[in-house]
Amino acid sequence: MNDSSWGAPPRSDYAGAWGPSDPGPVPAGPAYDAHGADQTRPMPIVPEEPMPTPPQPPQKKRAGRDLRAAIGVGAGLGAVIIASLFIWKAAFVGVIAVAVVVGLWELTSRLEERKSIKAPVVPLAVGGAAMVVSGYIRGAEGAWTAMALTALAVLVWRMTEPPEGYLKDVTAGVFAAFYVPFLATFVALMLTAEDGAQRVLTFLLLTVVSDTGAYAVGWRFGKTKLAPRISPGKTREGLAGAVAFAMVAGALCMQFLVHDGTWWQGLLLGVAVAASATLGDLGESMIKRDLGIKDMGTLLPGHGGIMDRLDSLLPTAPVVWLLFVIFVGTG
């Protein structure tokens, strides 16, 4: 068998040897018309012009939360706080204790969900409430004693479970005990003064006014990011608004609410509150970013959880308490 047996059929120039070849019938149609075959051309493709897109109106800035719900919940919380603060101080201590327990529950729940850290909740809740009450009854000495006993209870309570993860669990527990109830105890310490209700009201008003000033000015004029890696929504312009608003509120509160207070002390108090409230907000933003969450909870519509409202208050409480002691004494 030679190569031609696997090759192509013979060429047409050998047709003489094999006889005339029959080309077969030619299909009909213009493409095979011998007269017009070389005149056939493909139809040119004309690109379509894109339809012009109508200009979109500029989008207005919108808040990220439901403002109606936030205002309604804030007004309700304010009414409860004011009523308990000026009618019966012990009732306000109870409000602080309840907020502390709920805040601890939110924080420990998120730690377990996102990081598998199981901080002991029972000793934290009992010790946290005891810390607030001890601070109100026994002062700073009572608060420190309750803090130490709470940390010890966390260490012992966790021993009832397997040792795996013991260090991270008790570390988180001691951190939670300091971060939530111990810092909140300084609010109870303010309340022990003769004008304690006015001092606590000043502390709350300045913190809220600082947050409001930061939000209002930052939303309208904010351009330069304050800490984009931690909280992209915060701006330096917003911080300036917080300082300005808090200074004005501080001057008014110290002059007209706090016994023996003066307006210039209120200016310094306003600057300190704006700084500590902003740092507290950034600190909780760091925690939430590490956990990969937006809010600590959903208990308060328009606000998130209790911890989302305590973030500015907790680190501000010891700062305000200390400045009150320096400016007007313990009362």
Side-chain angles (χ1 to χ4, degrees):
M1 185 178 292
N2 55 28
D3 293 339
S4 62
S5 301
W6 297 92
R11 293 169 52 95
S12 58
D13 49 2
Y14 290 95
W18 294 91
S21 61
D22 185 8
V26 179
Y32 296 94
D33 190 345
H35 177 70
D38 41 347
Q39 296 183 6
T40 304
R41 296 289 186 272
M43 183 177 291
I45 300 175
V46 181
E48 296 182 0
E49 292 290 335
M51 296 294 292
T53 304
Q56 298 293 329
Q59 298 291 328
K60 294 182 179 180
K61 288 184 178 181
R62 299 184 62 185
R65 298 186 183 273
D66 186 346
L67 286 181
R68 290 184 179 180
I71 293 172
V73 171
L77 290 175
V80 171
I81 289 172
I82 297 299
S84 60
L85 186 59
F86 286 95
I87 294 176
W88 189 30
K89 287 184 178 181
F92 183 73
V93 175
V95 171
I96 300 174
V98 171
V100 161
V101 171
V102 176
L104 285 169
W105 173 75
E106 289 180 347
L107 178 58
T108 55
S109 297
R110 302 296 86 77
L111 288 174
E112 184 173 1
E113 289 173 2
R114 309 298 296 188
K115 296 292 185 179
S116 298
I117 298 175
K118 299 179 180 180
V121 180
V122 174
L124 283 174
V126 175
M131 218 178 293
V132 174
V133 175
S134 298
Y136 179 69
I137 297 175
R138 302 291 298 176
E141 181 181 353
W144 276 112
T145 302
M147 172 65 196
L149 292 175
T150 301
L152 180 61
V154 167
L155 297 175
V156 174
W157 189 280
R158 180 57 180 79
M159 290 180 182
T160 60
E161 298 182 11
E164 290 77 17
Y166 177 83
L167 184 59
K168 68 176 182 179
D169 291 346
V170 297
T171 302
V174 174
F175 163 73
F178 174 82
Y179 181 46
V180 184
F182 182 74
L183 293 182
T185 302
F186 285 92
V187 183
L189 292 178
M190 290 183 221
L191 195 60
T192 59
E194 182 180 350
D195 60 342
Q198 288 81 359
R199 295 190 184 196
V200 172
L201 181 61
T202 298
F203 154 69
L204 294 174
L205 284 176
L206 262 63
T207 307
V208 172
V209 167
S210 172
D211 287 347
T212 303
Y215 173 82
V217 176
W219 179 77
R220 182 65 181 86
F221 302 104
K223 293 182 179 179
T224 308
K225 301 297 183 183
L226 178 64
R229 296 178 60 184
I230 303 175
S231 183
K234 289 180 176 53
T235 61
R236 297 180 183 178
E237 293 81 3
L239 177 60
V243 172
F245 276 55
M247 288 179 69
V248 173
L252 294 174
C253 288
M254 287 297 290
Q255 185 69 37
F256 298 108
L257 285 180
V258 179
H259 295 174
D260 299 326
T262 58
W263 64 269
W264 64 266
Q265 294 171 341
L267 295 178
L268 298 179
L269 186 63
V271 174
V273 167
S276 59
T278 301
L279 289 175
D281 202 354
L282 290 174
E284 176 130 343
S285 294
M286 283 284 286
I287 295 174
K288 290 190 286 190
R289 280 194 169 275
D290 187 25
L291 296 177
I293 58 177
K294 180 180 179 182
D295 294 322
M296 281 289 188
T298 58
L299 185 62
L300 305 176
H303 292 269
I306 288 290
M307 285 301 298
D308 297 298
R309 293 301 89 201
L310 296 180
D311 54 0
S312 300
L313 294 168
L314 289 174
T316 304
V319 173
V320 173
W321 173 80
L322 178 61
L323 289 177
F324 275 145
V325 172
I326 295 173
F327 290 153
V328 294
T330 57

